[in-house]
Amino acid sequence: MSNDTFELSLMDSEEKEMLNAIWNIIPEQDRKDMKQTDVLFVLDMIDDFLIENDLLVEGDEDITYLEGEVDETEQMQFIYNAAQEAGKNLTMTQIQIILDAELQYGIQEGYYTEED
């Protein structure tokens, strides 16, 4: 079992559904040099960024997202730096594509509202 397969096998059905939905939002031509585990990595780093900026609190059983502004440039740099440290070959463009897909998914699911 590859590391990618193992990592994906640890997800519950709700997480897998979310990951698949985000993956399918990404245009096929943009997915060719990415793996679903790259998307999962970016999603994990979004949460790490939010924790570091006091916008997410993890409890024993639940996660609470707090109101606040996210500096998208800082978030992008945080994720890019984490990807480099992890040995992932994600470009800033790929990270932006994943972030855009996650935002679109969040809007579709009602987690986010579109700003005018």
Side-chain angles (χ1 to χ4, degrees):
M1 180 182 290
S2 74
N3 283 343
D4 290 341
T5 305
F6 177 72
E7 195 171 344
L8 294 173
S9 74
L10 297 175
M11 299 174 67
D12 66 31
S13 61
E14 188 177 306
E15 292 169 323
K16 286 179 185 175
E17 186 178 308
M18 178 185 68
L19 179 63
N20 285 329
I22 292 170
W23 179 254
N24 289 322
I25 290 171
I26 299 170
E28 189 173 340
Q29 69 270 15
D30 293 327
R31 292 190 311 228
K32 67 180 180 188
D33 293 325
M34 283 192 266
K35 298 180 267 187
Q36 282 192 330
T37 52
D38 294 330
V39 175
L40 182 59
F41 178 82
V42 170
L43 296 176
D44 287 343
M45 291 304 101
I46 290 170
D47 284 350
D48 286 356
F49 177 81
L50 294 174
I51 289 168
E52 189 172 288
N53 288 276
D54 299 320
L55 295 171
L56 184 151
V57 177
E58 290 183 300
D60 292 336
E61 297 287 326
D62 60 344
I63 295 174
T64 304
Y65 292 91
L66 306 172
E67 293 289 324
E69 292 292 317
V70 173
D71 183 314
E72 294 175 11
T73 303
E74 283 182 25
Q75 182 184 45
M76 173 86 84
Q77 193 63 53
F78 179 91
I79 295 168
Y80 180 76
N81 292 344
Q84 296 302 300
E85 288 175 22
K88 299 227 173 246
N89 293 322
L90 286 170
T91 66
M92 290 287 242
T93 301
Q94 289 171 318
I95 292 168
Q96 185 64 59
I97 288 167
I98 295 168
L99 289 172
D100 290 346
E102 188 273 340
L103 177 61
Q104 186 176 342
Y105 172 79
I107 290 169
Q108 289 172 358
E109 295 297 311
Y111 302 136
Y112 309 128
T113 55
E114 289 187 76
E115 293 182 11
D116 296 323

